[in-house]
Amino acid sequence: MSRRVVRQSKFRHVFGQAAKADQAYEDIRVSKVTWDSSFCAVNPKFLAIIVEAGGGGAFIVLPLAKTGRVDKNYPLVTGHTAPVLDIDWCPHNDNVIASASDDTTIMVWQIPDYTPMRNITEPIITLEGHSKRVGILSWHPTARNVLLSAGGDNVIIIWNVGTGEVLLSLDDIHPDVIHSVCWNSNGSLLATTCKDKTLRIIDPRKGQVVAERFAAHEGMRPMRAVFTRQGQIFTTGFTRMSQRELGLWDPNNFEEPVALQEMDTSNGVLLPFYDPDSSIVYLCGKGDSSIRYFEITEEPPFVHYLNTFSSKEPQRGMGFMPKRGLDVSKCEIARFYKLHERKCEPIIMTVPRKSDLFQDDLYPDTPGPEPALEADEWLSGQDAEPVLISLRDGYVPPKHRELRVTKRNILDVRPPPGPRRSQSASDTPLSQQHTLGTLLEEIKALREQVQAQERRITALENMLCELVDGTD
Protein backbone atom coordinates (compact mmCIF):
# COMPACT_ATOMS: atom_id res chain seq x y z
CA MET A 1 0.00 0.00 0.00
CA SER A 2 1.54 3.36 -1.04
CA ARG A 3 1.85 6.08 1.62
CA ARG A 4 0.90 9.64 0.72
CA VAL A 5 3.93 11.89 1.18
CA VAL A 6 3.11 15.13 2.96
CA ARG A 7 4.78 18.20 1.45
CA GLN A 8 7.46 19.69 3.70
CA SER A 9 6.88 23.35 4.53
CA LYS A 10 7.50 25.45 7.63
CA PHE A 11 4.27 27.33 6.83
CA ARG A 12 1.99 24.28 6.71
CA HIS A 13 0.62 25.01 10.19
CA VAL A 14 0.17 28.78 9.96
CA PHE A 15 -3.00 29.71 11.82
CA GLY A 16 -5.01 32.91 12.08
CA GLN A 17 -6.48 34.37 15.23
CA ALA A 18 -8.58 37.49 15.80
CA ALA A 19 -7.20 39.84 18.45
CA LYS A 20 -9.04 40.15 21.76
CA ALA A 21 -11.97 42.56 21.84
CA ASP A 22 -9.99 45.24 23.72
CA GLN A 23 -7.38 45.27 20.92
CA ALA A 24 -9.93 46.28 18.25
CA TYR A 25 -10.79 49.84 17.15
CA GLU A 26 -14.50 50.50 17.79
CA ASP A 27 -17.03 53.08 16.59
CA ILE A 28 -15.44 53.88 13.22
CA ARG A 29 -17.87 54.72 10.42
CA VAL A 30 -16.16 52.85 7.60
CA SER A 31 -16.80 54.28 4.12
CA LYS A 32 -19.69 52.80 2.13
CA VAL A 33 -18.32 53.88 -1.25
CA THR A 34 -18.58 51.13 -3.86
CA TRP A 35 -14.95 50.82 -4.87
CA ASP A 36 -12.70 47.75 -4.91
CA SER A 37 -9.81 49.12 -2.86
CA SER A 38 -8.85 47.93 0.62
CA PHE A 39 -10.09 51.14 2.40
CA CYS A 40 -7.39 50.60 5.03
CA ALA A 41 -3.62 51.23 5.21
CA VAL A 42 -1.35 50.41 8.11
CA ASN A 43 2.32 50.80 9.06
CA PRO A 44 4.33 50.26 12.28
CA LYS A 45 3.07 53.57 13.70
CA PHE A 46 -0.43 54.27 12.40
CA LEU A 47 -3.70 52.77 11.19
CA ALA A 48 -5.56 54.75 8.49
CA ILE A 49 -9.16 54.00 7.46
CA ILE A 50 -11.36 55.70 4.86
CA VAL A 51 -14.52 56.85 6.65
CA GLU A 52 -17.94 58.27 5.88
CA ALA A 53 -17.83 62.06 5.71
CA GLY A 54 -20.50 64.58 4.84
CA GLY A 55 -19.64 67.09 2.12
CA GLY A 56 -16.35 65.62 0.93
CA GLY A 57 -13.93 62.79 1.55
CA ALA A 58 -12.06 61.92 4.74
CA PHE A 59 -10.01 59.28 6.46
CA ILE A 60 -9.07 58.73 10.08
CA VAL A 61 -5.50 58.10 11.28
CA LEU A 62 -5.04 56.39 14.65
CA PRO A 63 -1.80 55.53 16.48
CA LEU A 64 -1.63 51.72 16.59
CA ALA A 65 -1.77 51.77 20.39
CA LYS A 66 -5.06 53.74 20.44
CA THR A 67 -7.33 50.68 20.62
CA GLY A 68 -10.85 50.61 22.05
CA ARG A 69 -13.66 53.02 21.34
CA VAL A 70 -12.76 55.97 19.11
CA ASP A 71 -14.28 59.29 20.16
CA LYS A 72 -16.85 60.53 17.64
CA ASN A 73 -15.06 63.91 17.57
CA TYR A 74 -11.62 62.39 16.92
CA PRO A 75 -9.85 64.58 14.30
CA LEU A 76 -10.03 63.38 10.69
CA VAL A 77 -7.86 64.08 7.65
CA THR A 78 -10.19 66.15 5.47
CA GLY A 79 -9.33 68.06 2.34
CA HIS A 80 -10.88 66.25 -0.59
CA THR A 81 -14.15 67.59 -1.99
CA ALA A 82 -15.44 64.10 -2.94
CA PRO A 83 -15.07 60.59 -1.45
CA VAL A 84 -11.58 59.21 -0.83
CA LEU A 85 -11.07 56.01 -2.85
CA ASP A 86 -7.58 54.84 -1.90
CA ILE A 87 -4.88 55.57 0.69
CA ASP A 88 -1.27 54.38 0.87
CA TRP A 89 1.49 54.96 3.46
CA CYS A 90 4.90 56.00 2.17
CA PRO A 91 7.28 53.02 2.67
CA HIS A 92 10.17 55.40 3.45
CA ASN A 93 8.47 57.71 5.95
CA ASP A 94 5.95 56.36 8.45
CA ASN A 95 4.42 59.83 8.94
CA VAL A 96 3.54 60.42 5.28
CA ILE A 97 0.38 59.12 3.61
CA ALA A 98 -1.14 59.74 0.17
CA SER A 99 -4.87 59.81 -0.57
CA ALA A 100 -6.71 59.60 -3.91
CA SER A 101 -10.23 60.83 -4.49
CA ASP A 102 -13.25 61.04 -6.72
CA ASP A 103 -12.42 64.78 -6.97
CA THR A 104 -9.56 63.88 -9.44
CA THR A 105 -6.75 64.92 -7.06
CA ILE A 106 -4.09 63.17 -5.00
CA MET A 107 -3.11 64.72 -1.68
CA VAL A 108 0.00 63.90 0.35
CA TRP A 109 -0.23 64.43 4.11
CA GLN A 110 2.24 64.72 7.00
CA ILE A 111 0.78 63.00 10.08
CA PRO A 112 2.20 64.25 13.41
CA ASP A 113 3.28 61.80 16.13
CA TYR A 114 1.00 63.58 18.60
CA THR A 115 -2.82 63.58 18.33
CA PRO A 116 -3.86 66.80 16.55
CA MET A 117 -6.37 69.11 18.26
CA ARG A 118 -8.52 69.52 15.16
CA ASN A 119 -9.01 68.05 11.67
CA ILE A 120 -5.96 68.00 9.42
CA THR A 121 -7.10 70.02 6.40
CA GLU A 122 -3.87 71.16 4.72
CA PRO A 123 -1.92 68.57 2.69
CA ILE A 124 1.81 69.01 2.14
CA ILE A 125 1.08 68.98 -1.57
CA THR A 126 -1.86 68.45 -3.93
CA LEU A 127 -1.12 66.63 -7.18
CA GLU A 128 -3.41 67.55 -10.07
CA GLY A 129 -3.11 65.85 -13.45
CA HIS A 130 -5.97 63.37 -13.83
CA SER A 131 -9.20 64.39 -15.57
CA LYS A 132 -11.39 61.80 -13.78
CA ARG A 133 -11.53 60.08 -10.39
CA VAL A 134 -8.26 58.68 -9.03
CA GLY A 135 -8.78 55.18 -7.62
CA ILE A 136 -5.33 53.60 -7.29
CA LEU A 137 -2.18 54.75 -5.46
CA SER A 138 1.15 52.96 -5.04
CA TRP A 139 4.47 54.28 -3.75
CA HIS A 140 7.66 53.17 -5.48
CA PRO A 141 9.30 50.41 -3.39
CA THR A 142 12.88 51.74 -3.54
CA ALA A 143 12.99 55.36 -4.83
CA ARG A 144 12.36 58.28 -2.50
CA ASN A 145 9.17 60.35 -2.99
CA VAL A 146 8.03 58.53 -6.16
CA LEU A 147 4.27 57.92 -6.21
CA LEU A 148 2.12 56.23 -8.86
CA SER A 149 -1.53 57.09 -9.44
CA ALA A 150 -4.08 55.56 -11.81
CA GLY A 151 -7.37 57.23 -12.70
CA GLY A 152 -10.70 56.72 -14.39
CA ASP A 153 -9.19 58.55 -17.38
CA ASN A 154 -7.20 55.28 -18.04
CA VAL A 155 -3.94 57.14 -17.37
CA ILE A 156 -1.08 56.18 -15.03
CA ILE A 157 0.95 59.12 -13.72
CA ILE A 158 4.21 58.75 -11.79
CA TRP A 159 4.96 61.78 -9.60
CA ASN A 160 7.93 63.19 -7.73
CA VAL A 161 6.18 64.16 -4.50
CA GLY A 162 9.29 66.08 -3.36
CA THR A 163 8.83 68.62 -6.18
CA GLY A 164 5.19 68.13 -7.24
CA GLU A 165 6.31 67.30 -10.80
CA VAL A 166 5.00 64.64 -13.16
CA LEU A 167 7.94 62.32 -13.87
CA LEU A 168 6.12 60.06 -16.35
CA SER A 169 2.64 59.84 -17.83
CA LEU A 170 1.45 56.59 -19.42
CA ASP A 171 -1.63 57.66 -21.31
CA ASP A 172 -1.87 55.52 -24.46
CA ILE A 173 -1.46 52.03 -22.96
CA HIS A 174 -4.84 51.21 -21.40
CA PRO A 175 -7.98 51.55 -23.57
CA ASP A 176 -10.31 51.05 -20.60
CA VAL A 177 -10.55 51.36 -16.80
CA ILE A 178 -7.45 50.17 -14.90
CA HIS A 179 -8.33 47.67 -12.16
CA SER A 180 -4.95 47.20 -10.46
CA VAL A 181 -1.31 48.28 -10.63
CA CYS A 182 1.65 46.65 -8.86
CA TRP A 183 5.40 47.41 -8.84
CA ASN A 184 7.95 44.61 -8.93
CA SER A 185 10.46 44.38 -6.05
CA ASN A 186 12.93 46.97 -7.39
CA GLY A 187 10.36 49.19 -9.11
CA SER A 188 11.64 48.66 -12.66
CA LEU A 189 8.38 47.12 -13.98
CA LEU A 190 4.62 47.41 -13.44
CA ALA A 191 1.95 44.72 -13.69
CA THR A 192 -1.48 46.12 -14.56
CA THR A 193 -4.94 44.66 -15.11
CA CYS A 194 -7.61 46.42 -17.11
CA LYS A 195 -11.29 46.18 -17.98
CA ASP A 196 -10.25 45.05 -21.48
CA LYS A 197 -9.31 41.70 -19.77
CA THR A 198 -5.59 42.14 -20.56
CA LEU A 199 -2.77 41.59 -18.09
CA ARG A 200 0.20 43.82 -19.01
CA ILE A 201 3.82 44.06 -17.89
CA ILE A 202 5.01 47.64 -18.47
CA ASP A 203 8.43 49.30 -18.39
CA PRO A 204 7.28 52.73 -17.15
CA ARG A 205 10.48 54.62 -18.03
CA LYS A 206 10.34 53.44 -21.64
CA GLY A 207 6.55 53.77 -21.73
CA GLN A 208 6.34 50.31 -23.32
CA VAL A 209 4.39 47.12 -22.75
CA VAL A 210 7.06 44.40 -22.52
CA ALA A 211 4.61 41.46 -22.27
CA GLU A 212 0.85 41.02 -22.21
CA ARG A 213 -1.74 38.29 -21.91
CA PHE A 214 -5.35 38.66 -23.06
CA ALA A 215 -8.01 36.94 -20.91
CA ALA A 216 -5.69 35.60 -18.21
CA HIS A 217 -9.08 34.99 -16.58
CA GLU A 218 -11.98 34.74 -19.01
CA GLY A 219 -14.71 36.31 -16.86
CA MET A 220 -15.73 39.96 -17.19
CA ARG A 221 -15.35 40.81 -13.49
CA PRO A 222 -12.19 42.67 -12.33
CA MET A 223 -8.78 40.98 -12.19
CA ARG A 224 -5.98 41.66 -9.73
CA ALA A 225 -2.25 41.00 -10.24
CA VAL A 226 0.86 41.08 -8.02
CA PHE A 227 4.52 40.32 -8.70
CA THR A 228 6.08 37.42 -6.79
CA ARG A 229 9.61 37.29 -5.41
CA GLN A 230 10.74 35.19 -8.41
CA GLY A 231 9.34 37.71 -10.92
CA GLN A 232 6.24 35.67 -11.74
CA ILE A 233 2.75 37.20 -11.73
CA PHE A 234 0.05 35.96 -9.36
CA THR A 235 -3.49 36.85 -10.49
CA THR A 236 -7.05 36.56 -9.21
CA GLY A 237 -10.10 36.79 -11.46
CA PHE A 238 -13.21 35.00 -12.65
CA THR A 239 -14.01 32.21 -15.08
CA ARG A 240 -16.58 32.60 -17.82
CA MET A 241 -19.09 30.94 -15.45
CA SER A 242 -18.31 33.60 -12.76
CA GLN A 243 -16.32 31.25 -10.58
CA ARG A 244 -13.42 32.87 -8.75
CA GLU A 245 -10.04 31.74 -10.00
CA LEU A 246 -6.36 32.22 -9.19
CA GLY A 247 -3.45 31.99 -11.62
CA LEU A 248 0.34 32.05 -11.67
CA TRP A 249 2.10 33.28 -14.81
CA ASP A 250 5.61 33.51 -16.18
CA PRO A 251 5.97 36.86 -18.01
CA ASN A 252 8.57 35.29 -20.32
CA ASN A 253 5.98 32.78 -21.51
CA PHE A 254 2.43 34.09 -21.22
CA GLU A 255 1.00 31.38 -23.52
CA GLU A 256 0.23 28.90 -20.74
CA PRO A 257 -0.31 29.56 -17.03
CA VAL A 258 2.16 28.04 -14.57
CA ALA A 259 -0.91 27.26 -12.42
CA LEU A 260 -4.64 27.93 -12.71
CA GLN A 261 -7.09 26.93 -9.96
CA GLU A 262 -10.82 27.45 -9.63
CA MET A 263 -11.96 28.51 -6.17
CA ASP A 264 -15.67 29.11 -5.54
CA THR A 265 -18.69 31.03 -6.80
CA SER A 266 -18.90 34.48 -5.28
CA ASN A 267 -19.18 38.07 -6.50
CA GLY A 268 -16.45 39.60 -4.33
CA VAL A 269 -13.18 40.56 -6.01
CA LEU A 270 -10.29 38.69 -4.36
CA LEU A 271 -7.65 41.14 -3.11
CA PRO A 272 -4.22 39.41 -3.03
CA PHE A 273 -1.75 40.39 -0.29
CA TYR A 274 1.66 38.89 -1.06
CA ASP A 275 4.52 38.47 1.43
CA PRO A 276 7.80 38.06 -0.49
CA ASP A 277 9.73 36.93 2.61
CA SER A 278 7.62 33.79 3.05
CA SER A 279 6.19 33.62 -0.50
CA ILE A 280 2.70 33.30 0.98
CA VAL A 281 -0.24 35.03 -0.71
CA TYR A 282 -3.35 35.83 1.33
CA LEU A 283 -6.66 36.22 -0.52
CA CYS A 284 -9.30 38.48 1.03
CA GLY A 285 -12.59 38.91 -0.80
CA LYS A 286 -14.70 41.98 -0.13
CA GLY A 287 -17.90 40.70 1.46
CA ASP A 288 -16.24 37.38 2.41
CA SER A 289 -15.81 36.37 6.03
CA SER A 290 -12.61 34.41 5.41
CA ILE A 291 -8.94 34.81 4.45
CA ARG A 292 -7.48 31.99 2.35
CA TYR A 293 -3.74 31.63 2.09
CA PHE A 294 -1.44 29.77 -0.29
CA GLU A 295 2.30 29.16 -0.53
CA ILE A 296 3.95 29.75 -3.91
CA THR A 297 6.90 27.41 -4.56
CA GLU A 298 8.92 26.08 -7.49
CA GLU A 299 7.47 22.54 -7.22
CA PRO A 300 4.16 21.49 -8.83
CA PRO A 301 1.38 22.45 -8.40
CA PHE A 302 3.31 25.69 -7.62
CA VAL A 303 0.42 27.29 -5.68
CA HIS A 304 -0.18 25.19 -2.55
CA TYR A 305 -3.28 25.74 -0.42
CA LEU A 306 -2.33 26.18 3.26
CA ASN A 307 -5.45 27.03 5.23
CA THR A 308 -8.44 29.35 5.68
CA PHE A 309 -9.08 31.77 8.52
CA SER A 310 -12.86 32.01 8.97
CA SER A 311 -15.00 34.34 11.03
CA LYS A 312 -18.68 35.24 11.22
CA GLU A 313 -18.62 38.84 10.03
CA PRO A 314 -17.98 39.84 6.38
CA GLN A 315 -15.07 42.18 5.69
CA ARG A 316 -15.56 45.67 4.21
CA GLY A 317 -11.84 46.13 3.58
CA MET A 318 -8.44 44.97 4.80
CA GLY A 319 -5.11 46.48 5.87
CA PHE A 320 -1.84 44.52 5.64
CA MET A 321 1.01 45.36 8.03
CA PRO A 322 4.55 45.57 6.54
CA LYS A 323 6.88 42.89 7.92
CA ARG A 324 8.81 45.38 10.07
CA GLY A 325 5.66 46.07 12.10
CA LEU A 326 5.17 42.46 13.28
CA ASP A 327 5.92 40.95 16.71
CA VAL A 328 8.81 38.56 16.01
CA SER A 329 8.81 37.29 19.61
CA LYS A 330 5.42 35.65 18.95
CA CYS A 331 6.36 34.15 15.54
CA GLU A 332 3.82 36.45 13.90
CA ILE A 333 4.31 36.28 10.11
CA ALA A 334 1.38 38.48 8.99
CA ARG A 335 -1.14 40.85 10.55
CA PHE A 336 -4.33 42.05 8.93
CA TYR A 337 -6.66 44.84 9.97
CA LYS A 338 -10.16 43.71 9.03
CA LEU A 339 -12.80 46.41 8.52
CA HIS A 340 -16.33 45.75 9.73
CA GLU A 341 -19.20 48.19 9.36
CA ARG A 342 -18.33 50.05 12.58
CA LYS A 343 -14.97 48.71 13.71
CA CYS A 344 -11.51 47.46 12.73
CA GLU A 345 -10.24 44.13 14.07
CA PRO A 346 -6.61 42.92 13.95
CA ILE A 347 -6.10 39.33 12.74
CA ILE A 348 -2.75 37.74 13.53
CA MET A 349 -1.16 34.93 11.49
CA THR A 350 1.30 32.83 13.48
CA VAL A 351 3.66 29.91 12.88
CA PRO A 352 3.55 27.70 16.00
CA ARG A 353 7.04 27.25 17.50
CA LYS A 354 8.08 25.95 20.91
CA SER A 355 11.24 28.04 21.24
CA ASP A 356 11.19 31.67 22.40
CA LEU A 357 14.39 32.44 20.48
CA PHE A 358 14.43 34.56 17.29
CA GLN A 359 13.40 32.34 14.37
CA ASP A 360 15.72 33.45 11.59
CA ASP A 361 14.18 31.01 9.09
CA LEU A 362 10.84 32.85 9.47
CA TYR A 363 12.36 36.33 9.35
CA PRO A 364 14.93 36.86 6.61
CA ASP A 365 16.16 40.45 6.27
CA THR A 366 13.25 42.55 5.06
CA PRO A 367 12.84 45.97 3.37
CA GLY A 368 13.45 48.80 5.84
CA PRO A 369 12.44 52.48 5.78
CA GLU A 370 15.50 53.79 3.91
CA PRO A 371 15.11 54.39 0.14
CA ALA A 372 17.78 52.92 -2.14
CA LEU A 373 17.54 55.66 -4.79
CA GLU A 374 16.55 59.28 -5.27
CA ALA A 375 13.70 60.05 -7.69
CA ASP A 376 15.95 61.51 -10.40
CA GLU A 377 18.33 58.51 -10.18
CA TRP A 378 15.43 56.13 -10.80
CA LEU A 379 14.12 58.31 -13.65
CA SER A 380 17.54 58.33 -15.33
CA GLY A 381 17.47 54.51 -15.53
CA GLN A 382 19.06 53.27 -12.31
CA ASP A 383 17.55 50.30 -10.44
CA ALA A 384 18.29 49.13 -6.90
CA GLU A 385 16.88 46.42 -4.67
CA PRO A 386 15.28 47.53 -1.37
CA VAL A 387 17.63 48.35 1.53
CA LEU A 388 17.12 45.42 3.93
CA ILE A 389 17.10 45.39 7.74
CA SER A 390 17.24 42.56 10.29
CA LEU A 391 14.29 42.02 12.64
CA ARG A 392 16.41 40.09 15.18
CA ASP A 393 16.05 42.80 17.84
CA GLY A 394 12.61 43.92 16.71
CA TYR A 395 11.93 47.13 14.79
CA VAL A 396 11.67 50.57 16.35
CA PRO A 397 10.08 53.15 14.02
CA PRO A 398 12.27 56.25 13.57
CA LYS A 399 11.14 59.56 15.03
CA HIS A 400 8.99 62.00 13.06
CA ARG A 401 10.64 62.96 9.75
CA GLU A 402 9.25 65.88 7.80
CA LEU A 403 8.69 65.59 4.06
CA ARG A 404 9.99 68.77 2.47
CA VAL A 405 8.47 69.80 -0.85
CA THR A 406 10.66 72.00 -3.06
CA LYS A 407 8.73 73.14 -6.11
CA ARG A 408 10.80 73.96 -9.18
CA ASN A 409 10.75 77.59 -10.23
CA ILE A 410 8.19 77.71 -13.02
CA LEU A 411 10.18 80.48 -14.72
CA ASP A 412 13.37 78.39 -14.70
CA VAL A 413 14.28 77.66 -18.32
CA ARG A 414 16.73 74.85 -17.55
CA PRO A 415 15.40 71.45 -18.64
CA PRO A 416 14.84 68.92 -15.82
CA PRO A 417 17.28 65.97 -15.55
CA GLY A 418 16.35 62.63 -17.12
CA PRO A 419 14.03 61.82 -20.02
CA ARG A 420 10.96 63.96 -20.57
CA ARG A 421 7.60 62.62 -21.63
CA SER A 422 6.06 65.72 -23.09
CA GLN A 423 6.80 69.33 -23.98
CA SER A 424 6.70 71.63 -20.95
CA ALA A 425 6.78 75.39 -20.41
CA SER A 426 10.58 75.24 -20.25
CA ASP A 427 10.69 74.33 -23.98
CA THR A 428 9.41 77.77 -24.98
CA PRO A 429 11.36 81.04 -24.95
CA LEU A 430 11.19 82.98 -21.68
CA SER A 431 9.49 85.97 -23.35
CA GLN A 432 6.53 83.76 -24.36
CA GLN A 433 6.25 82.34 -20.86
CA HIS A 434 5.29 85.68 -19.31
CA THR A 435 1.65 85.14 -20.11
CA LEU A 436 -1.41 85.50 -17.93
CA GLY A 437 -1.27 81.77 -17.17
CA THR A 438 2.35 82.03 -16.01
CA LEU A 439 1.58 84.90 -13.66
CA LEU A 440 -1.38 83.01 -12.23
CA GLU A 441 0.88 79.99 -11.70
CA GLU A 442 3.41 82.15 -9.85
CA ILE A 443 0.67 83.62 -7.65
CA LYS A 444 -0.55 80.08 -6.91
CA ALA A 445 3.00 78.96 -5.99
CA LEU A 446 3.42 81.95 -3.63
CA ARG A 447 0.05 81.21 -2.02
CA GLU A 448 1.16 77.63 -1.41
CA GLN A 449 4.35 78.89 0.24
CA VAL A 450 2.25 81.08 2.56
CA GLN A 451 0.01 78.10 3.38
CA ALA A 452 3.11 76.00 4.15
CA GLN A 453 4.30 78.69 6.58
CA GLU A 454 0.85 78.76 8.23
CA ARG A 455 0.95 74.97 8.61
CA ARG A 456 4.38 75.24 10.22
CA ILE A 457 3.07 77.88 12.65
CA THR A 458 0.11 75.62 13.56
CA ALA A 459 2.46 72.68 14.16
CA LEU A 460 4.71 74.82 16.40
CA GLU A 461 1.65 76.08 18.33
CA ASN A 462 0.53 72.48 18.91
CA MET A 463 4.01 71.55 20.13
CA LEU A 464 3.95 74.56 22.46
CA CYS A 465 0.56 73.44 23.87
CA GLU A 466 1.98 69.97 24.46
CA LEU A 467 5.02 71.38 26.28
CA VAL A 468 2.78 73.63 28.44
CA ASP A 469 0.48 70.66 29.25
CA GLY A 470 3.54 68.58 30.13
CA THR A 471 4.90 71.16 32.59
CA ASP A 472 1.46 71.41 34.25
Side-chain angles (χ1 to χ4, degrees):
M1 194 171 89
S2 66
R3 278 170 53 201
R4 185 165 170 264
V5 179
V6 177
R7 186 179 70 91
Q8 288 294 311
S9 169
K10 58 193 169 212
F11 302 115
R12 219 154 44 87
H13 301 292
V14 171
F15 70 96
Q17 201 166 21
K20 295 190 174 95
D22 62 349
Q23 294 299 303
Y25 306 81
E26 306 271 355
D27 269 4
I28 296 168
R29 299 193 310 141
V30 177
S31 173
K32 294 185 171 70
V33 174
T34 52
W35 188 254
D36 285 326
S37 79
S38 57
F39 284 9
C40 179
V42 62
N43 70 18
K45 276 187 175 183
F46 298 107
L47 167 69
I49 299 167
I50 302 174
V51 293
E52 285 287 287
F59 58 99
I60 191 168
V61 177
L62 300 167
L64 280 191
K66 192 167 179 57
T67 53
R69 188 176 163 278
V70 177
D71 189 288
K72 69 177 188 299
N73 296 318
Y74 193 90
L76 303 176
V77 183
T78 60
H80 288 289
T81 56
V84 176
L85 302 177
D86 198 14
I87 47 177
D88 196 26
W89 286 105
C90 175
H92 307 127
N93 188 334
D94 287 341
N95 293 77
V96 170
I97 188 168
S99 59
S101 167
D102 219 333
D103 66 9
T104 76
T105 68
I106 301 111
M107 293 183 177
V108 181
W109 309 84
Q110 183 97 35
I111 305 299
D113 284 335
Y114 59 87
T115 301
M117 312 290 275
R118 49 184 180 262
N119 286 354
I120 300 174
T121 57
E122 291 290 340
I124 314 169
I125 192 164
T126 301
L127 305 172
E128 298 174 317
H130 289 282
S131 59
K132 291 188 180 174
R133 62 161 59 172
V134 186
I136 297 170
L137 287 177
S138 182
W139 291 89
H140 192 285
T142 62
R144 189 195 307 273
N145 294 343
V146 175
L147 176 66
L148 175 150
S149 63
D153 50 9
N154 313 336
V155 174
I156 290 175
I157 299 179
I158 298 173
W159 308 83
N160 181 347
V161 171
T163 62
E165 290 177 293
V166 173
L167 294 178
L168 302 163
S169 182
L170 309 175
D171 39 19
D172 335 327
I173 291 177
H174 300 91
D176 214 326
V177 176
I178 300 163
H179 286 149
S180 74
V181 182
C182 175
W183 296 97
N184 66 347
S185 63
N186 68 1
S188 60
L189 295 173
L190 297 171
T192 69
T193 61
C194 178
K195 196 175 178 182
D196 70 351
K197 293 167 64 170
T198 304
L199 166 65
R200 294 175 175 85
I201 311 300
I202 298 167
D203 182 329
R205 287 169 297 194
K206 290 181 180 168
Q208 292 175 353
V209 176
V210 294
E212 63 183 0
R213 162 75 200 215
F214 176 69
H217 299 281
E218 294 185 341
M220 289 303 297
R221 306 255 315 124
M223 255 196 300
R224 288 283 187 276
V226 291
F227 273 101
T228 70
R229 185 176 62 195
Q230 292 84 9
Q232 294 174 312
I233 311 290
F234 179 88
T235 58
T236 64
F238 293 80
T239 67
R240 200 173 286 158
M241 304 301 291
S242 291
Q243 278 205 298
R244 293 199 290 197
E245 193 174 43
L246 60 84
L248 187 65
W249 305 84
D250 178 358
N252 299 316
N253 178 18
F254 260 151
E255 291 304 307
E256 288 296 322
V258 177
L260 201 61
Q261 295 179 24
E262 285 186 12
M263 306 261 293
D264 57 12
T265 307
S266 177
N267 284 334
V269 173
L270 284 169
L271 305 178
F273 295 93
Y274 176 71
D275 173 21
D277 295 344
S278 60
S279 216
I280 294 177
V281 65
Y282 302 86
L283 301 184
C284 309
K286 272 201 161 182
D288 289 9
S289 52
S290 63
I291 302 172
R292 270 170 281 207
Y293 39 108
F294 299 78
E295 186 178 1
I296 299 172
T297 71
E298 293 175 2
E299 308 100 47
F302 306 106
V303 181
H304 306 267
Y305 171 74
L306 291 173
N307 210 335
T308 300
F309 166 80
S310 296
S311 58
K312 291 176 183 169
E313 297 289 322
Q315 55 231 13
R316 298 279 295 275
M318 197 69 81
F320 187 48
M321 175 67 80
K323 210 52 170 279
R324 57 197 168 90
L326 302 181
D327 187 346
V328 297
S329 66
K330 294 181 178 161
C331 296
E332 183 183 4
I333 62 158
R335 192 188 312 155
F336 290 91
Y337 286 76
K338 173 182 171 179
L339 299 187
H340 298 245
E341 200 169 330
R342 299 279 303 193
K343 73 170 182 178
C344 175
E345 174 186 46
I347 293 165
I348 292 146
M349 299 288 180
T350 309
V351 176
R353 292 278 166 100
K354 289 177 181 171
S355 169
D356 290 335
L357 298 173
F358 178 72
Q359 307 290 313
D360 45 15
D361 63 323
L362 297 183
Y363 301 106
D365 289 356
T366 196
E370 288 304 316
L373 293 170
E374 297 300 325
D376 53 356
E377 292 175 325
W378 176 78
L379 186 64
S380 68
Q382 291 185 47
D383 289 319
E385 293 301 319
V387 179
L388 304 181
I389 56 168
S390 169
L391 298 179
R392 179 172 290 278
D393 301 316
Y395 171 76
V396 179
K399 285 272 185 280
H400 180 94
R401 290 192 295 181
E402 197 161 335
L403 169 60
R404 298 193 181 280
V405 175
T406 313
K407 291 206 167 184
R408 282 185 67 245
N409 181 351
I410 53 158
L411 298 178
D412 190 351
V413 293
R414 290 172 300 174
R420 292 216 307 276
R421 308 296 302 161
S422 58
Q423 191 180 39
S424 68
S426 55
D427 291 319
T428 57
L430 190 59
S431 58
Q432 290 177 29
Q433 287 187 43
H434 283 288
T435 60
L436 178 62
T438 316
L439 292 170
L440 288 171
E441 280 290 325
E442 189 169 7
I443 291 166
K444 185 181 173 187
L446 287 168
R447 279 207 180 113
E448 285 176 352
Q449 287 173 25
V450 171
Q451 286 170 354
Q453 296 294 337
E454 286 173 349
R455 286 199 297 274
R456 183 72 182 143
I457 291 165
T458 305
L460 290 169
E461 284 173 346
N462 286 338
M463 288 164 72
L464 184 63
C465 290
E466 282 194 316
L467 288 169
V468 171
D469 291 345
T471 52
D472 291 347

